[in-house]
């Protein structure tokens, strides 16, 4: 298979590299190359090619572990105003993902708040006064069934041929972590480290040390502490269209009370589902799915969703454009 930059085709080694980075975003290329049975030089060429196509590894704090609350906003806009509203939200540091859906008049925005004051300032004061906004739905994410540190879609992409649940490349449900005593407190150095990793999750220890004013050994200990205590994860950002997946859609599900945890856990094992969470609001479970096209979506809804017990209704909202992804605005 060809490997010319921008060709949109990928050989087995490149797909395996993507998968390896999803398992450990900071893994050294030498270690990945040894595991895959190739040379570090060959793998470095593949990695460079994928970077030209937009591959990024991003460090992300885990909101729940830091005492923060994750929200999903569903915003309705007057015709012609969604773009300006979306770009205003994209400039905010507390938004991480914004998409345009449903005929261009509906926006979805992932938002993280640290305090009730931050929440109320946005939801009760700023958004209601936003020109062109006709409706605001704020849904608090109560429980995540997929790992929050993954890109909302990237970990759900079955790299290579479609795989059955449980095989390599299928998504991994959010890990069950032991209860830890209260939110983890960050100091100035921790925050500087997280800011650097948000730009480049694979930044080397010397670069991180220079940015934080600490020694490389000190930075390494802090990385291990943040990861070990569940406060830091690494996401792979790579556009699904490069792998032949051209339809992303939000799924809003009404599930019979008592069935939500079971349905959420099942969704988290589906390769089509990149994100699934229990939420407040008229729908008690929300998910994001990735499909090659409308036929695959129809088959998924009919055969995968339709066979789950407790499903009362499903609403779909295809994503037309991503305005912001992993805290970085996207170009139209």
């Amino acid at each position: 298979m060809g490997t010319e930059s921008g060709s949109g085709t990928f050989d087995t080694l490149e797909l395996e590299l993507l998968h390896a980075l999803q398992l450990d975003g900071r893994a050294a290329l030498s270690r990945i190359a040894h595991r895959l049975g190739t040379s570090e030089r060959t793998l470095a060429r593949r990695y460079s090619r994928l970077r030209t196509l937009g591959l990024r590894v991003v460090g992300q704090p885990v909101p729940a572990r830091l005492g923060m609350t994750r929200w999903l906003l569903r915003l309705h806009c007057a015709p012609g105003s969604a773009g300006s509203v979306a770009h205003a939200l994209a400039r905010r540091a507390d938004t991480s993902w914004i998409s345009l859906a449903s005929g261009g008049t509906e926006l979805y925005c992932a938002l993280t708040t640290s305090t009730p004051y931050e929440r109320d300032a946005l939801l009760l004061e700023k958004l209601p006064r936003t020109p062109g906004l006709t409706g605001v739905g704020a849904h608090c994410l109560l429980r995540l069934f997929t790992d929050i540190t993954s890109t909302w879609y990237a970990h759900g992409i079955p790299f290579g041929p479609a795989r059955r649940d449980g095989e390599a490349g299928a998504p991994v449900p959010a890990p069950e972590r032991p209860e830890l005593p209260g939110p983890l407190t960050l100091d100035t150095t921790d925050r500087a480290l997280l800011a650097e990793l948000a730009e480049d999750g694979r930044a080397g220890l010397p670069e991180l040390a220079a940015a934080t004013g600490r020694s490389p050994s000190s930075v390494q200990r802090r990385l291990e502490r943040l990861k070990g205590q569940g406060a830091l994860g690494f996401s792979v950002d790579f556009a699904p269209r490069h792998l032949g997946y051209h339809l992303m859609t939000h799924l809003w599900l009404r599930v019979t009370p008592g069935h939500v945890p079971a349905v959420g856990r099942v969704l988290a094992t589906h390769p089509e589902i990149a994100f699934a969470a229990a939420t407040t609001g008229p729908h008690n479970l929300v998910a994001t799915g990735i499909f090659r096209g409308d036929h695959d979506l129809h088959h998924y809804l009919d055969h995968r969703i339709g066979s789950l017990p407790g499903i009362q209704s499903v609403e779909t909202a295809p994503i037309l454009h991503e305005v912001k992804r992993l805290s970085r605005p996207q170009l139209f």
Side-chain angles (χ1 to χ4, degrees), residues 50-65:
L50 295 177
R51 292 267 295 176
T52 65
L53 294 174
L55 171 67
R56 290 196 304 147
V57 177
V58 179
Q60 291 188 294
V62 180
R65 188 64 188 92

Side-chain angles (χ1 to χ4, degrees), residues 109-159:
C109 173
L111 172 76
T112 302
T113 59
S114 299
T115 65
Y117 172 80
E118 289 182 358
R119 175 199 64 200
D120 294 347
L122 177 64
L123 300 183
L124 301 181
E125 298 176 20
K126 295 183 179 180
L127 282 178
R129 296 198 300 265
T130 301
L133 206 55
T134 61
V136 178
H139 307 273
C140 180
L141 302 187
L142 303 175
R143 176 181 175 184
L144 298 172
F145 297 104
T146 48
D147 195 342
I148 188 63
T149 60
S150 294
T151 305
W152 277 31
Y153 56 79
H155 88 282
I157 299 173
F159 295 136

Side-chain angles (χ1 to χ4, degrees), residues 56-231:
R56 290 196 304 147
V57 177
V58 179
Q60 291 188 294
V62 180
R65 188 64 188 92
L66 299 175
M68 305 166 78
T69 302
R70 186 81 165 176
W71 296 82
L72 180 60
L73 306 184
R74 191 175 187 181
L75 309 175
H76 295 273
C77 304
S81 63
S84 59
V85 174
H87 284 90
L89 288 169
R91 289 192 291 269
R92 296 179 59 95
D94 54 3
T95 61
S96 59
W97 184 85
I98 300 170
S99 66
L100 185 64
S102 300
T105 59
E106 189 169 83
L107 291 174
Y108 292 85
C109 173
L111 172 76
T112 302
T113 59
S114 299
T115 65
Y117 172 80
E118 289 182 358
R119 175 199 64 200
D120 294 347
L122 177 64
L123 300 183
L124 301 181
E125 298 176 20
K126 295 183 179 180
L127 282 178
R129 296 198 300 265
T130 301
L133 206 55
T134 61
V136 178
H139 307 273
C140 180
L141 302 187
L142 303 175
R143 176 181 175 184
L144 298 172
F145 297 104
T146 48
D147 195 342
I148 188 63
T149 60
S150 294
T151 305
W152 277 31
Y153 56 79
H155 88 282
I157 299 173
F159 295 136
R163 297 178 169 97
R164 296 186 298 274
D165 296 348
E167 292 187 357
V172 179
E176 294 291 338
R177 294 189 175 99
E179 290 295 327
L180 296 171
L184 184 66
T185 301
L186 302 179
D187 62 19
T188 302
T189 302
D190 291 328
R191 296 182 186 279
L193 180 58
L194 290 174
E196 290 299 313
L197 293 172
E199 291 297 319
D200 180 6
R202 291 182 61 81
L205 290 179
E207 291 82 2
L208 295 175
T212 59
R214 300 286 181 169
S215 68
S217 60
S218 175
V219 168
Q220 181 63 41
R221 287 194 297 272
R222 285 176 180 268
L223 282 173
E224 292 173 354
R225 167 177 168 265
L226 291 170
K227 290 194 296 182
Q229 297 198 13

Side-chain angles (χ1 to χ4, degrees), residues 236-281:
V236 175
D237 183 16
F238 195 64
R241 67 179 182 276
H242 292 313
L243 299 170
Y245 293 81
H246 299 287
L247 177 60
M248 298 172 59
T249 185
H250 296 299
L251 305 174
W252 295 88
L253 294 85
R254 285 191 175 93
V255 182
T256 303
H259 285 79
V260 173
V263 172
R265 287 192 294 268
V266 171
L267 289 180
T269 67
H270 290 176
E272 298 90 347
I273 296 300
F275 167 81
T279 182
T280 59

